[in-house]
Amino acid sequence: MTDPSTAAAVAAHADQPIGPGSRSLWQDTFRTLIRRPDVIIALLVTLFFVFVALFPGVFTQTDPQRCDISVARIPPQWFGGQFPLGTNQQGCDVLAQVVHGSRPSLLLAFVVVGCSLVIGLVLGTISGFYLGWVDMIISRVLEIFLVVPLLLAALLLLSMFRNVPIGGPLASIVQPAIVLTAFGWMGYTRYVRASVLETKNLDYVMAARVLGASDGRIMFRHILPNAIGPVTALVPTAIAGVIATEAVLAFLGIGVRRPAVSWGIMISDGSQWFTGGSPHLLLVPLTCLLATILSFVVLGDNLRDALDPKLR
Amino acid sequence: MKARSLAAAAAALTLLVAGCGGGGNPGGDTSSAGGDKTVRLALTQDVETLLPMDSNVGDNIGVLEVVYDGLVRYDAQSTKPYNYIAEDVSSTDKTTWTIKLKPDFTFQNGEPVDAASFARAWNYAAYGPNGMANNYFFERFVGYDEMQGVTEEDDDGKITVQEEPKAKELSGLKVVDPTTLTVELTGPFVGFPTMLGYTGFFPIAQACLDDIEGCAKKPIGNGPFQIDQWEQGVRMSASKWADYKGSETPNYNKIEWTEYKGSSSWPDFQAGDLDTGAPPPSEWQSANNDPDLTSRKVVRPGAALTYIGFPLYKGAPYTNIEFRKAISMAIDRQAIIDQVLPGQEVPADSWVVPNGVPGGVAGTCADCKFDPTAAKAALAKAGGWPKGQKLKISLGQDDANEQYFQAIGNQIKLNLGIDYELDPAPDFFARRAARKFDGAFRNNWFPDYPLNENYLVGPYASGDAKNGNDTLGFYSKAFEDKLAEGDKAPDLDTAVTKYQEAEQELAKEFPTVPISFSQSVAFYSENVDNVVLDPFSGSTKLRLLNYVG
């Protein structure tokens, strides 16, 4: 599938012996990444926080919503104390909050990026493959969404629908997820469209067409696997972006719905106490947020370097 | 290149700031010395009107206090009323009252402040379709019911009349001559003269009635100050009215209000741009430890009661008195206040503020003490809380109150095991009036005039045994009987005692849970002194404020 000459060039550059049935792009990328210590560290940090989000019970037995105001704003007691990371203004355990708060933050990021990616892949492939009026409609709609500033749209929509009751397990993140997805799919669509345009004129696509393959088969079996590379590199960076945006929205009071706790909400609540005698209320969630964002960005950067041969 | 453009931007910013400073204080230094004594204050409630008949929150009441003169004014310390525009308010049977006015007072547009000017304001306020916030103050007047009709208010505050009222004027209100007014009440009410200093009883000029909307933005007052300009939501300015004939007028000649959201005015106070301010909870400790700031600080017990109401119209478990008592005993009021609103509230154990108004005593609410064990027992006695359900706590949108009620909800969860959900909504008041709550909800009451009766009639009395009162669905015959006895009392002292007995009846029924009384705190700048806080609203008494510049 992969153009053998490119694969060979890539392999040569990476000082690999050129074997006959050369490895796929993905295997190659993986080998490049696994050798870099910063990637390993970033990966470990990321996996750690994903693990925290999936299994909060491993790290704390305390209910984050169980708050006793008579023990409010206790500084961190570290290991051995009842409140290892102290308590906040309402008397809630900060460790429990930061552990349980990772889930809405990360879930929102994965949901938004996942949905945007799917939308981007479908629309980008269709518009790049068919061109003509399909492409025109998709491109114009895309431009309309592109000119609206994300923060303005989020402010407007989220404050308008703030009081709409929503049920279900995802209730706390549904609204920001919808809004952030609605204004986040355009980049992926453009990237995919450009890659599809590039790929669809290659010889093997032509060969498949001559052999009588259907449009759907050509698109999803032949073009897409080769066009997906550059978009994949966007994903970790985009996840970092959504986590940061959630913090901004929480600061404006329109992010993840209370009483659910997210890192953004914790930062927004804790910031006013930074100079008020309880800096840990800001520092704890901020450290988690920064560590997560940083590791996703490092992953994204390296993934892009590895996936995009032109950048080498 | 980059450095240069940055420097240019900085220069432009400096110019801009300098320009702003110059523009905000026109001719500050060049005008005659001592001629520009300006007091700079903050408004935080986003008020929409300055019409006396429609003003019922602290901010517009505070502004109108210097723009209008009422029949009586209240002593800042004792809260006792004394005659101001009124020469005399008297009655032989406490039902028909004769109000004599001092002659020669005028409005700022030259119209006389006469009996007719009071009558037109009161008739306007009492007319139901006008939708005035102070409408209910005229309930005791003969002819009030005929003026209400049937109206419906939608979410935007627009009023549609479904049935025209039968009368356009209060039949119990008569203008005898330009300085005499008689008022006939539906029954005896010895506290009537005490009511008359409230904002809702101020007079208005005919020109104001002809252009109500203009008057709501730029009132034509009869007090020592007139509003120059009001850029709604941004700022307001007032200057001294040169022809003011009254005796109570402050020594400065300009007031500038700036509008803020919540407690965001504190940085501007610290920067010296405001003359009074109060810190948000996070700055509370550092502000109170600062010897320079605390040398210019006043504290005064306020009178606003924050309490939790229940939709008694929804039935169980809210109608169960043990359930309400359980909620009350589960809340550690002092601990919450220390963390969330330190120094700005004091725990409440009565429905009428103790010592703040005549008849108010502490301790009428025996179950307002924090006692988690007794609370659990009371909840068990009430039959418990339905499993898996959340107690909704509704309130308006306001950061400080959300934190306050989050802490209250946490206490209920911690001590009773009832999970809660906070429901801050912008249309809180409309929903409360429409009885659309399904759960506990925040209430706040500060008295409009100094009498314990005011804490009891407004929030609880209705005379409607079937449906109960508007917001709660509460009715108690024993309670209403005691109120009626108080109204018929021969003198104010007896009345106050009867109203106290009514409060005890209320305590037996326990319809609501008192949480805390406000405590007003203000820091002030070096430009002013003699800062006296209003015992009711907690705002600065502008007529007593002294400019020392």
Side-chain angles (χ1 to χ4, degrees), chain A residues 260-276:
Chain A
V261 192
S262 74
W263 289 343
I265 288 178
M266 292 180 73
I267 290 174
S268 145
D269 285 351
S271 60
Q272 54 170 326
W273 289 101
F274 186 68
T275 52

Side-chain angles (χ1 to χ4, degrees), chain B residues 391-406:
Chain B
L391 172 68
K392 220 175 193 181
I393 304 180
S394 303
L395 66 159
Q397 267 174 348
D398 164 348
D399 285 348
N401 273 310
E402 278 178 45
Q403 288 204 3
Y404 197 31
F405 275 77
Q406 193 186 347

